[in-house]
Amino acid sequence: MPGQRKRRQRQQAGARRAAERFDARFGPEAGRWEVRFGASDEVEWRARLTQFLSAEPQLNVEDIRIDRHCGRLVTPDYRQLSVFVRHDSPSAAPSADERETGAPGREVQE
C-alpha cells in the first residue's frame, strides 16, 4: 500500500519521542517511585485510596502509579499505590532508617 512506510515511521518516531519525554520526567535521575500502601481487599483498597487522596490534595495525578499484582487462583489480587518523589523535593531526603540500613522502615539487626 502506498504511504504505509511513512505512516509506520511517523508512528515509531512519535513513540520514541513519547518514551524520551517519559524518561526525562520519571527516569532514575529525576527521582524514584515510593510505595505508599497496598491492599488485597477491594473495600480496604478504596477506603485507603480515598483517605490518601483527601490527605494530599496538592499531589499531581500524573505522579501516582497504581500497580495491580494478579494473584491468579492461589492468592487474591494485590493493589499497590506508588508516588513519584523527585530528588529535589524536601521529602526526597532519606530518613534515618534508610541511611542506616539502606531500606525504608527496616531496623538494623545485629
Side-chain angles (χ1 to χ4, degrees), residues 21-105:
R21 282 193 308 268
F22 182 84
D23 286 344
R25 181 153 186 206
F26 297 112
E29 62 279 345
R32 69 183 189 284
W33 288 100
E34 188 175 279
V35 176
R36 294 297 169 99
F37 65 87
S40 57
D41 182 40
E42 179 76 23
V43 175
E44 179 187 359
W45 166 256
R46 289 189 185 275
R48 292 182 75 180
L49 181 62
T50 303
Q51 179 184 14
F52 175 76
L53 293 176
S54 65
E56 297 193 31
Q58 77 283 0
L59 195 61
N60 189 357
V61 176
E62 293 178 350
D63 292 343
I64 296 175
R65 183 177 77 190
I66 298 174
D67 299 318
R68 182 175 179 209
H69 304 283
C70 182
R72 306 277 180 196
L73 300 173
V74 180
T75 59
D77 291 351
Y78 186 79
R79 291 170 184 82
Q80 180 174 309
L81 183 122
S82 301
V83 176
F84 192 75
V85 178
R86 304 206 183 285
H87 289 305
D88 57 2
S89 70
S91 63
S95 66
D97 289 340
E98 289 181 45
R99 285 191 298 268
E100 291 174 8
T101 63

